Every structure is written in structure tokens, then in C-alpha cells.
Amino acid sequence: MHSPLSASRPRWEIFCQVVDNFGDIGVCWRLAADLVRRGCGSVRLWVDDWAALRRICPGAHAVDERVGGDVEGVELRRWTSAFVPLVPGEIVVEAFACELPPAQLEAMVALRPAPVWINLEYLSAEAWVAGCHGMASPHPHLPLVKHFFFPGFDAGGGGLLREADLLARRDAWRVRPEGRAAWLAARGIDSSPDALRVSLFAYEQAELPALFEAWACGDREVCVLVPESRVLGDVRRALGHERLQAGDRVQRGALVTHVLPFSDQAGYDELLWACELNFVRGEDSFVRAQWAARPFVWQIYPQADAAHHDKLEAFLARYLQGVPAAEADALARFWRAWNGCAPDRASPAAAWPGFAAAWPALDLQAQRWCDAQAALADLATVLDAFCSHIAHAPR
Ligand code: TRH
């Protein structure tokens, strides 16, 4: 596939500042690799936090951060305070409003024609996003125009990151013996076929011990797979195991917990595909759980002014359209409890039986939602077309 931007494929340059956690680099690395794979052009990715990059993209271990290098066709560069610009890309993406270095802006001004400059925004299901997606923002004194690009859930929005072969790979992996079954066996996960396999990727969760207790006392085997993350402290507390680490397995009644190492992104997809229920957080894992097409629980990234509560409600309102009222209430109640914002202050443990009882409808909805989103254009494709449009518009 060739990029519609120009006859020769454009050079993309993406700037990523890792604020906290892995989400920013998770999204930027995924986008960079997907643009390359789709033939949208060459991609240079600037990242300030090399350690975070290496956890998401282990191929970066082979790259000397002082000089940079290629992984999966993406040119990786360390963004330091001593930043010296290279010839800018024809498309410059600043991710999540990270501020471009003044020297980069100068280099962009010197380029003819001026680069297409994109601010890739955070994902939100809120209605105002439609009005801001694609908006132009001229620089106050430089001859440069930045455009806002919002990922989204609507036709006409920015789309969601989805590799071209993702769903086919997922389906094949689930059925092939060397896929799911071998993946579970390799990790010593010997849960019964009737067990509920749950992946748990989360921020701190004070309410976890009570939920674990409910699972341990339940009738159905619950097999929890926990990749190393911030929630591990609460898992230790819940299980009374101070030294719990990757590779450990602990059983309490009907609850079996396995701690897994943090994997690369492809490995994380497999974890999601292997489970019946996925607890996810932030942005990128939240989207990946949607592509897994199984029920999931979203822990939204907390914001100081509680703005995240509106974002949570906006997504719930979209996601639950068409779900029968009782089941929709059960999901919303559990999600709000997991995010500490249930109006009745319900805990996840209290909301769990209702969520579990709603399972058939929630399972169906997860598949329907995935199918509906997969029918829309993906983010890399929409972004490529958007940049082509800007490049060819009179400026
Ligand atoms: O790390 P996060 O909490 O990221 C958040 C959000 O992006 C949020 O919008 C942002 O403002 C904040 O960071 C600073 O969660 P997220 O977005 O799911 O990113 C985690 C990434 O880690 C994702 O790309 C999946 C990846 N991952 C692995 O590659 N391997 C693993 O084993 C696990 C558990 C995750």
C-alpha cells in the first residue's frame, strides 16, 4: 500500500514524552510500527524514556540510545534535553500535547512546504471530541499550523489503533493447539476448562482483597493472571504473600492466582485473548481488551479534578447501547465500583454477583462492540488520509 500523501512515501516523525506509566509510549510505539507495516511511509520515533520504551518494545534493548537505530522498520531516537533536530518529517506528530523543542519548531519553519503538524490527543468517548477532531490551531507567531487529531469510536472520528491482521491473528491463535493451549501450558496454568480466566492489569486497588475473597469462596474456579503492574502490591496484600513475584502461583479456595512477567505488546494481546474476562486500564490496554471481544473492566486513568468520571460515563453510555437494562446496570455498577465512583458506594465485591449473572448478555455485547468498531477505519489509516488531505489543501 502506498501513502496517499505524495508519490514518494512521506517521512513521519513522532514525539513521545512518557508522563507516567506506559500508555503514552504504548500508543506511540504501536502507531509507529503500524504506520510502517501499512506502508504509510518511514517513521522516526523520539522517546524521552528509554527504559519505558524497552519494556514495551524489547527490540529497543539492541539499540544504543546515544545513536538510535531501527526496530521493526521504525527509527528509534532518544529525546533528551540536548535535542538536536534532524531534517524534520513531512508529518510531525506530537503525542498528547507534549511540547516540541524550540529547535524542532525552527527546523519545521525552515522546511518547504512546512510539515503537516499533528497533535495526537487522548482517547475519549465524550461528545465534545467530535467538534474538536481535526481542528486547526495556528502557531501564535510562527508560520506553522497544528491540527488536533482525536482517536474515537464514531465513523468520521479518528478511529482506534488496530493492526490490519489483528482479528484474524486473534481468532487463529484461539483455536490452534500451538496458540492458546500451548500459551497456558507454557506458563503452568492448569485451570479447568470451566474456570473463569481473568487477566488483571490495574493501578492500585484498595478493594481487591474483598473481591479476591469473594472469588475464593465462590463455586466456580477463578484463575487470575496478573502481569507485573502497580496492582501487585494489593494482590500481595489480598493473598498475604509479601514476596509474590513473576512465576509464582497461589491458591486460595476456588481462586488461583498466577503472577506473570510484564511482556511485550504482542505477548500482552495473547494474555487478553487467553482470558474470558480482562481488567484493563488507561488507554492502550483498554482498546486491546475491546479487540479481544470478551467482557472487560476498565480502570480509567485518574485525574485530579475527577474529569475521568465523565469519561467513564461517556464510554459506558456508548458501550451499553442495545444491552438489556438489567445487564447494562450490572456492568455499569461493577465498573463504577472498580473505579471508586459507585453512587451507592458499592464495592467491587458487592457488585460482582450481578456482573457475573449478566455474563451471557455481556459476552454477546463484547463481540458486537468489537465487530462494530472493526467495521470502522483504524487510526493509522484515518491519520494517514487526514495528513494527506492537509498536505494537499491550500496552505
Ligand atoms: O500505562 P497506562 O496506565 O497508561 C496511561 C494511559 O495511557 C493514560 O491515558 C495516560 O495519560 C497515562 O498512562 C499517563 O495504561 P495503558 O494505556 O493501557 O498502557 C499500558 C501499555 O502497556 C499498553 O501498551 C499495553 C502494554 N503492556 C505490555 O506491553 N505488556 C504487559 O505485560 C502489560 C501488562 C501491558
Side-chain angles (χ1 to χ4, degrees):
M1 205 200 316
H2 75 97
S3 163
L5 188 73
S6 60
S8 62
R9 300 181 314 161
R11 288 173 289 106
W12 295 70
E13 201 169 21
I14 302 175
F15 285 80
C16 176
Q17 202 166 31
V18 180
V19 180
D20 187 15
N21 306 308
F22 300 104
D24 299 327
I25 181 58
V27 169
C28 291
W29 165 247
R30 192 183 293 291
L31 171 63
D34 201 29
L35 287 168
V36 168
R37 246 181 269 118
R38 288 176 182 274
C40 297
S42 63
V43 182
R44 178 185 300 140
L45 173 60
W46 292 94
V47 184
D48 65 341
D49 185 339
W50 211 256
L53 171 68
R54 281 178 168 165
R55 290 199 73 186
I56 291 285
C57 159
H61 280 283
V63 176
D64 181 342
E65 62 189 275
R66 291 164 304 181
V67 287
D70 278 23
V71 175
E72 294 182 33
V74 177
E75 180 188 343
L76 297 175
R77 292 272 177 171
R78 174 90 197 272
W79 176 7
T80 66
S81 52
F83 175 82
V84 177
L86 303 168
V87 176
E90 289 142 342
I91 301 170
V92 176
V93 178
E94 64 175 48
F96 314 119
C98 68
E99 217 171 295
L100 294 183
Q104 171 70 12
L105 291 178
E106 280 167 31
M108 285 161 62
V109 168
L111 198 73
R112 287 286 172 274
V116 174
W117 180 13
I118 299 290
N119 176 20
L120 174 64
E121 280 289 350
Y122 288 112
L123 172 62
S124 171
E126 290 162 296
W128 60 262
V129 165
C132 297
H133 174 60
M135 237 165 55
S137 164
H139 191 279
H141 51 266
L142 296 175
L144 293 171
V145 179
K146 175 156 65 179
H147 286 85
F148 291 90
F149 187 94
F150 284 81
F153 302 99
D154 289 319
L160 300 175
L161 279 169
R162 186 185 77 243
E163 297 80 7
D165 62 347
L166 177 70
L167 303 190
R169 275 194 293 117
R170 177 201 67 192
D171 292 343
W173 188 87
R174 278 186 172 145
V175 297
R176 280 199 320 254
E178 66 274 26
R180 184 170 187 260
W183 189 95
L184 291 167
R187 284 154 188 80
I189 299 161
D190 49 0
S191 47
S192 73
D194 298 336
L196 177 70
R197 274 158 296 262
V198 177
S199 79
L200 177 60
F201 178 44
Y203 307 119
E204 291 73 16
Q205 180 50 270
E207 303 278 1
L208 192 71
L211 183 61
F212 267 30
E213 181 63 20
W215 284 342
C217 298
D219 296 334
R220 183 177 182 190
E221 180 184 340
V222 179
C223 174
V224 180
L225 308 180
V226 193
E228 286 172 311
S229 74
R230 283 165 51 180
V231 78
L232 196 55
D234 297 302
V235 174
R236 290 191 181 110
R237 203 159 49 82
L239 297 173
H241 257 259
E242 268 315 300
R243 303 178 101 76
L244 209 55
Q245 59 185 18
D248 287 346
R249 174 191 190 277
V250 179
Q251 179 151 13
R252 293 271 181 283
L255 169 69
V256 183
T257 305
H258 293 259
V259 182
L260 305 179
F262 195 93
S263 68
D264 63 5
Q265 286 185 324
Y268 181 60
D269 274 334
E270 293 178 346
L271 169 62
L272 296 172
W273 300 342
C275 292
E276 281 78 33
L277 171 64
N278 294 303
F279 285 75
V280 289
R281 69 183 208 191
E283 178 164 327
D284 192 53
S285 58
F286 166 56
V287 173
R288 302 315 276 186
Q290 294 169 53
W291 298 136
R294 296 268 169 81
F296 64 98
V297 182
W298 181 30
Q299 190 179 28
I300 192 165
Y301 186 70
Q303 290 170 265
D305 52 0
H308 58 293
H309 290 166
D310 289 345
K311 289 187 180 176
L312 183 74
E313 293 303 323
F315 182 75
L316 281 172
R318 279 173 189 270
Y319 184 73
L320 293 173
Q321 266 174 36
V323 177
E327 284 85 355
D329 282 353
L331 180 139
R333 189 159 185 261
F334 190 74
W335 280 36
R336 290 179 189 131
W338 188 247
N339 284 282
C341 58
D344 62 353
R345 295 174 178 266
S347 68
W352 173 252
F355 185 81
W359 197 265
L362 302 184
D363 209 20
L364 187 64
Q365 177 59 9
Q367 185 63 61
R368 277 202 196 129
W369 175 263
C370 176
D371 292 347
Q373 290 299 319
L376 305 178
D378 66 281
L379 191 147
T381 301
V382 179
L383 179 60
D384 187 37
F386 180 74
C387 292
S388 172
H389 174 74
I390 303 288
H392 291 115
R395 283 193 276 170

